[in-house]
Amino acid sequence: MHSATALAEPSRPTVADFHRVNRGGGLFSESISQWIGAVFALVAQRLGLRPTALTLTNLVLGLAASVTVVALAGPVAAGTVPAWVVGLVALVGWQIAYALDCADGQLARVTGQGSPAGARVDVLCDVAAQIALVTALGATAVAQRPSTPIWLVAVFAGTWMVNLVTSVMQAGPNAASMVTSSSLPVRLVKLVRDYGAVIFLAGLVLAVAPALTVWVIVAFTIVNGGFLLASIAFSARASLR
């Protein structure tokens, strides 16, 4: 009797089950962020939390880390606050926030709690968190090097949003990738657009060498701007066939 009852009970999802439904993101994200997210999703499922609870927690943590960086950008540049303290807050805060962003989708897909409203909240929270992240990097660059051109910060902020726009577009029914190869060399090259890797690099620079933040901005402006132009060319060529 007890054996039949046990067999009738549905199996509880595992960390591997949550990770199996992840939406990728790149080599770093799939190897680290999505696994941490799977653990968060498992804990949330055991506690009976809804995906939106993870989404909002992601937003709060991401904003808190970015606001800390902005508020202390001046003191770090003046040498009154150790850079490593602020960098560590950013590095850990952004990574945990991103893992929660990975977790909300995993939880929704495994438990069947996905909804159009939840998807909208997720996208809007991503927009808010990334605006805060860009602001933090821009504030640090200007504090460290006051001669940083305002136009550079503006272009950096604009091209950064390419990441969010393209990720939303790739989630639709007409999604397509310019580079479909999944070989290790290609995936290593794609790390420059892997959000988990990008925020890890940003946090590391803030902790170890904040004066280099302006060059981080320059590098990602070139990468994201180049990707935008390449995407336009790729899509235009496909539409003209």
Side-chain angles (χ1 to χ4, degrees):
M1 181 69 176
H2 292 293
S3 176
T5 301
L7 290 174
E9 292 179 354
S11 58
R12 303 178 76 180
T14 65
V15 170
D17 292 326
F18 285 107
H19 185 265
R20 193 173 297 116
V21 299
N22 80 81
R23 291 293 176 85
L27 184 60
F28 184 100
S29 293
E30 292 171 37
S31 302
I32 299 177
S33 306
Q34 294 285 3
W35 277 110
I36 299 174
V39 174
F40 287 156
L42 177 68
V43 172
Q45 190 268 336
R46 297 287 194 266
L47 294 176
L49 299 178
R50 295 187 64 83
T52 298
L54 299 183
T55 304
L56 296 176
T57 304
N58 147 40
L59 175 63
V60 171
L61 285 177
L63 289 180
S66 295
V67 168
T68 299
V69 173
V70 172
L72 296 178
V76 168
T80 57
V81 173
W84 71 266
V85 173
V86 178
L88 185 62
V89 169
L91 184 62
V92 175
W94 289 337
Q95 287 295 331
I96 293 178
Y98 178 51
L100 286 167
D101 187 35
C102 297
D104 60 11
Q106 294 176 8
L107 180 63
R109 287 186 285 277
V110 170
T111 61
Q113 298 183 76
S115 68
R120 286 194 297 271
V121 172
D122 186 36
V123 172
L124 292 172
C125 286
D126 285 347
V127 171
Q130 293 202 33
I131 288 173
L133 172 66
V134 168
T135 302
L137 294 177
T140 300
V142 172
Q144 290 288 329
R145 185 172 297 194
S147 60
T148 300
I150 296 301
W151 64 262
L152 174 61
V153 178
V155 174
F156 165 66
T159 54
W160 184 276
M161 289 300 106
V162 173
N163 298 311
L164 191 60
V165 172
T166 53
S167 67
V168 172
M169 291 173 64
Q170 288 173 353
N174 299 318
S177 174
M178 291 187 297
V179 182
T180 57
S181 173
S182 59
S183 66
L184 182 58
V186 170
R187 299 190 77 195
L188 288 173
V189 171
K190 284 186 173 183
L191 280 174
V192 296
R193 289 186 46 76
D194 181 331
Y195 187 71
V198 167
I199 58 175
F200 177 80
L201 173 64
L204 193 62
V205 169
L206 292 178
V208 177
L212 297 180
T213 304
V214 66
W215 295 110
V216 172
I217 285 179
V218 169
F220 282 109
T221 298
I222 293 172
V223 168
N224 292 325
F227 182 79
L228 174 60
L229 294 176
S231 297
I232 292 172
F234 175 82
S235 300
R237 184 180 64 180
S239 69
L240 291 172
R241 288 177 179 173

